[in-house]
Amino acid sequence: MLQFEQTFMDFLLEHQERHNRTYHFLILMNSILNAAKRIQHYYLTGALRGNLGLAGSTNVQKEETLHMDVIANDVVKHYLRASGRVIHAVSEEEEEPIPMNADEGRYFVYYDPIDGSSNVPHNLPIGFLFGVAKRDLGRPENGHLRAGRDYIAAGMFVIPTGAFTLALRNAGCWRFHIDEVMNYVKPTRMILPESRKTWELSFNSANRDTFASAVRTWVAENENSYAFRYMGSLAGDFHRILTNGGLFLYPAIVNHPDPSKNRPKGKLRLMYEAAVAAFMCCEAGGDAVDESGIPILDIRPETPHQRTALFLGSKQLVDEIAAVLKKSGIPA
Ligand code: FDP
């Protein structure tokens, strides 16, 4: 028996028509889907083609670059530029915002083409994350430094599993799966479960002694109430939280035995990691705050590659930890 599921593009077309919108966003999303499918292909064949190792350079974060970082960044850049709809993009892999179509573009795109790089040599799940903001004709443009609250959409592909989740502003968070002809299909609305039964905690447990004392105490008091899962890829770990509920946390590192390894501002990047996940999480009924308990979506970046601590997931747990963070007065 043949079975036909609604494709992502049909879903989006319906959405745009229902809201009397133009097709520009569809064209942008088509380019992002094309990029994701190419990254998926290069990753699936990565072990065979020798693309899972180091490229021999370092990126803007002073991290060693992988072949896959270079390939994926080039792929995304190509498709975004070809769409003609992007004013400029911010990539994890490039120091400066990438100019594209300054005159006729409508969107700013912030992306991390390969998130969770420690999984790459093993061909295990990684993410391609992106956030989208729109040109604002009413005020002077500063598009590459928009707060998450200004995004109109944010999404992530978990590669190579074929899962794609997209949140649209005030229109929910939706998950799709890739089918046998490489279409993303079968929209399912994601709403974080109320019941604590399935909730999980997700964090790098090896770092626990380096957290601020209020965070350490909260973790010690709560960890036995929930299952513990950690994949080492924000996209993969957050994918689980979106389904099962719970809390993903990457707190600031403030008590490292080697002080040069402290990360008082956190590790994750605001514009293309934390704000993207926070936008999706909020559209699914959850929330996200930084180390001082401030909503991630309210943080206006001062630089494109700014870092932040992140507490992300079910609203009740985010509220609990936010109260602890605010009370302890941990600075941003
Ligand atoms: P990675 O550095 O391996 O690219 O910021 C990226 C990120 O992965 C997230 O995807 C992930 O959640 C986190 O950092 C993993 O960091 P640890 O290896 O320190 O746990």
Side-chain angles (χ1 to χ4, degrees), residues 63 69 92 112 114-119 127 129 203-205 207 230-237 248 250 253 263 267-269 273 307:
E63 296 157 347
D69 289 324
E92 197 227 356
D112 183 354
I114 300 279
D115 162 77
S117 30
S118 70
N119 282 341
L129 306 177
F203 61 99
N204 185 338
S205 182
N207 290 343
Y230 191 67
M231 215 180 279
S233 149
L234 172 64
D237 287 312
F248 172 92
Y250 208 110
I253 307 283
R263 292 174 181 270
K267 176 184 181 192
L268 302 180
R269 275 52 68 112
E273 292 180 330
R307 294 179 191 267

Side-chain angles (χ1 to χ4, degrees), residues 58 62 86 127 169-170 175 196 220 223 262 278 284 289 315:
T58 53
K62 307 273 178 284
V86 180
R169 187 155 74 194
N170 300 326
R175 182 164 291 165
R196 292 189 185 233
E223 64 184 334
N262 276 335
V289 296
K315 185 147 181 32

